[in-house]
């Protein structure tokens, strides 16, 4: 069954690189059986994870030293960690298969101490690391568990695609440029040549260009667009780094108050952006997925931060997107993981929204 053959969307959780980097004693993903059982108990039937394709390609059984991805956010290990990708990746996918949980593969191209990701120099290299990774999954008989392959998270942001846009370079080549579009199409085409039955995309943030209107890249089977109120409105003024202590101070001191004071305005703005995405998808003839959503981009379980307003916005976004019929996979938020206890522990909230998703139409 392909994505567009489904009668309802996947209810998907983003477990990024945390599934492996926090797979340590006492950490949130220490016991994969436990957290996957918790995932299905909340009604989810898919996860999106980092497959570390560049590390699989270079040395699948080697030990890699990986510094933290963020100073303050709770994705990935909070301190430098050691990972070995194979056989961990295959073991995790197999556990998902046992529970009928589909796996969307992606990569944030995590930096390690050797900076192996910079060996990617051209689209053929990006394709090659994914072919090597899919070879491993195919050999293990697990390809049917793969929902789709996202060749690069939020391409071409420098944090995740430094081989295309160098971090710190004042000149950034944007997603809608001909160079970026060539990378997307050539890399997908090369992987598809060897694995023609998979679904492919290269995910993006803030929609497929502003304003909505450009044609999708020809090789994309779906658009995984990461859409929040925070990056589609003037809710946040972007005057400071979203991975800084200052950002969390703003969320605690001003963010919730700003939302509550003008709640109807922000809810209407979020619905409007979802409608625009759905209309674009309908006109372009390409289905949507959203695996990171709907309120703010970063949040945490600090004592000064409350989850109620985040959950309210995320519920509004999930329900509105589900009604459109244009989404083949929907997340309830980008905090749907066991490291975010304030959201994860509200089982009733998750079950209500995953029920909405799994009873929604797919009209693509």
């Amino acid at each position: 069954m392909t994505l567009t053959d489904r009668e309802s969307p996947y209810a998907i959780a983003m477990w990024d690189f945390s599934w492996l980097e926090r797979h340590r004693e006492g950490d949130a993903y220490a016991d994969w059986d436990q957290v996957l059982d918790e995932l299905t108990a909340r009604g989810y039937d898919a996860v999106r994870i980092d497959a570390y394709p560049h590390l699989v390609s270079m040395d699948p059984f080697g030990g890699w030293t990986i510094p933290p991805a963020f100073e303050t956010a709770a994705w990935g290990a909070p301190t430098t960690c050691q990972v070995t990708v194979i056989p961990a990746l295959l073991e995790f996918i197999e556990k998902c298969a046992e529970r009928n949980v589909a796996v969307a593969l992606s990569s944030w191209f995590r930096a390690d101490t050797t900076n192996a990701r910079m060996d990617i120099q051209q689209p053929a290299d990006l394709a090659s690391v994914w072919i090597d990774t899919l070879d491993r999954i195919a050999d293990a008989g697990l390809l049917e568990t793969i929902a789709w392959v996202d060749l690069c998270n939020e391409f071409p942001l420098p944090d995740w695609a430094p081989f295309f846009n160098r971090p710190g370079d004042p000149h950034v080549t944007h997603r809608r440029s001909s160079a970026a579009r060539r990378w997307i199409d050539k890399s997908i085409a090369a992987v598809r040549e060897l694995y023609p039955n998979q679904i492919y995309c290269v995910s993006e943030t803030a929609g497929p260009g502003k304003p909505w209107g450009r044609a999708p890249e020809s090789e994309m089977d779906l658009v995984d667009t990461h859409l929040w109120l925070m990056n589609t409105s003037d809710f946040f003024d972007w005057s400071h780094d979203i991975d800084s202590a200052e950002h969390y101070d703003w969320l605690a001191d001003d963010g919730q108050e700003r939302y509550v004071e003008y709640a109807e305005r922000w809810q209407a703005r979020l619905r409007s952006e979802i409608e625009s995405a759905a209309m674009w998808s309908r006109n372009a003839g390409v289905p949507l997925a959203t695996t990171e959503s709907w309120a703010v981009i970063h949040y945490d379980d600090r004592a000064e931060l409350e989850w109620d307003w985040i959950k309210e916005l995320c519920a509004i976004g999930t329900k509105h997107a589900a009604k459109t019929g244009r989404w083949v996979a929907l997340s309830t938020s980008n905090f749907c993981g066991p490291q975010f206890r304030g959201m994860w522990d509200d089982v009733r909230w998750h079950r209500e929204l995953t029920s909405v998703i799994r009873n929604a139409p797919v009209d693509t």
Side-chain angles (χ1 to χ4, degrees):
M1 177 185 293
T2 67
L3 282 173
T4 53
D5 291 333
R6 291 179 57 83
E7 294 182 357
S8 61
Y10 282 118
I12 193 165
M14 183 193 72
W15 283 6
D16 53 274
F17 36 89
S18 300
W19 73 274
L20 183 58
E21 294 178 26
R22 285 180 171 264
H23 182 55
R24 304 180 293 183
E25 185 176 354
D27 212 335
Y29 297 83
D31 186 333
W32 288 334
D33 287 308
Q34 177 182 328
V35 293
L36 284 169
D37 287 344
E38 291 174 355
L39 183 82
T40 57
R42 286 156 176 76
Y44 295 93
D45 59 355
V47 290
R48 175 172 172 250
I49 63 168
D50 194 331
Y52 301 85
H54 56 309
L55 305 186
V56 171
S57 182
M58 182 169 286
D59 187 358
F61 303 103
W64 297 92
T65 302
I66 299 183
F70 299 104
E71 292 180 8
T72 51
W75 292 290
T79 58
T80 297
C81 66
Q82 298 278 334
V83 302
T84 300
V85 185
I86 301 294
L89 176 65
L90 304 178
E91 180 184 344
F92 183 86
I93 295 173
E94 185 172 16
K95 288 180 181 295
C96 290
E98 291 167 358
R99 294 165 172 80
N100 293 317
V101 171
V103 180
L105 299 177
S106 183
S107 188
W108 285 250
F109 287 96
R110 297 282 286 113
D112 73 285
T113 50
T114 72
N115 217 10
R117 60 188 184 170
M118 297 309 291
D119 283 357
I120 297 171
Q121 306 266 325
Q122 55 188 334
D125 299 331
L126 180 59
S128 179
V129 300
W130 275 110
I131 290 167
D132 290 345
T133 302
L134 290 173
D135 285 347
R136 297 278 176 182
I137 295 169
D139 289 346
L142 294 169
L143 275 183
E144 289 188 0
T145 303
I146 305 306
W148 71 81
V149 180
D150 166 22
L151 270 65
C152 182
N153 176 65
E154 297 179 348
F155 182 87
L157 295 185
D159 284 347
W160 315 128
F163 41 81
F164 184 85
N165 277 318
R166 299 297 172 104
D169 190 332
H171 174 73
V172 175
T173 303
H174 294 283
R175 174 89 178 204
R176 285 180 285 174
S177 70
S178 57
R181 291 167 70 86
R182 279 196 304 272
W183 262 76
I184 291 169
D185 282 336
K186 287 186 175 182
S187 57
I188 291 177
V191 183
R192 195 191 304 275
E193 188 173 347
L194 291 180
Y195 287 97
N197 297 322
Q198 298 300 308
I199 301 294
Y200 298 99
C201 74
V202 176
S203 61
E204 52 198 39
T205 184
K210 291 295 183 183
W212 300 84
R214 67 159 170 81
E217 293 78 13
S218 61
E219 291 290 338
M220 296 258 286
D221 298 310
L222 77 157
V223 172
D224 181 3
T225 180
H226 304 160
L227 191 161
W228 303 268
L229 173 71
M230 188 171 159
N231 73 339
T232 58
S233 74
D234 59 349
F235 178 77
F236 181 60
D237 66 9
W238 296 94
S239 62
H240 47 76
D241 180 5
I242 60 172
D243 184 37
S244 66
E246 183 183 12
H247 173 61
Y248 287 92
D249 291 341
W250 179 84
L251 286 170
D253 297 339
D254 301 316
Q256 181 174 4
E257 182 179 343
R258 181 169 169 79
Y259 169 71
V260 171
E261 185 174 2
Y262 302 104
E264 290 185 5
R265 174 191 174 189
W266 301 124
Q267 292 168 13
R269 187 68 189 87
L270 180 59
R271 289 190 184 99
S272 175
E273 191 68 23
I274 290 168
E275 286 294 335
S276 295
M279 184 178 298
W280 176 86
S281 166
R282 196 171 292 113
N283 291 338
V286 180
L288 295 171
T290 292
T291 57
E292 303 183 37
S293 57
W294 300 97
V296 298
I297 295 175
H298 288 179
Y299 213 63
D300 209 346
D301 281 315
R302 315 176 178 214
E304 71 272 20
L305 297 178
E306 298 180 8
W307 283 97
D308 287 354
W309 68 285
I310 300 292
K311 288 191 286 188
E312 180 174 271
L313 262 174
C314 287
I316 288 167
T318 301
K319 291 175 181 178
H320 200 72
K323 288 191 296 187
T324 70
R326 296 307 304 174
W327 268 267
V328 293
L330 273 169
S331 59
T332 57
S333 79
N334 43 308
F335 309 110
C336 181
Q339 72 268 48
F340 299 102
R341 301 308 310 186
M343 181 168 274
W344 188 246
D345 288 346
D346 192 346
V347 178
R348 181 177 179 180
W349 183 87
H350 289 282
R351 289 190 64 83
E352 176 188 346
L353 291 183
T354 55
S355 177
V356 168
I357 294 169
R358 295 177 71 173
N359 285 286
V362 170
D363 180 20
T364 56

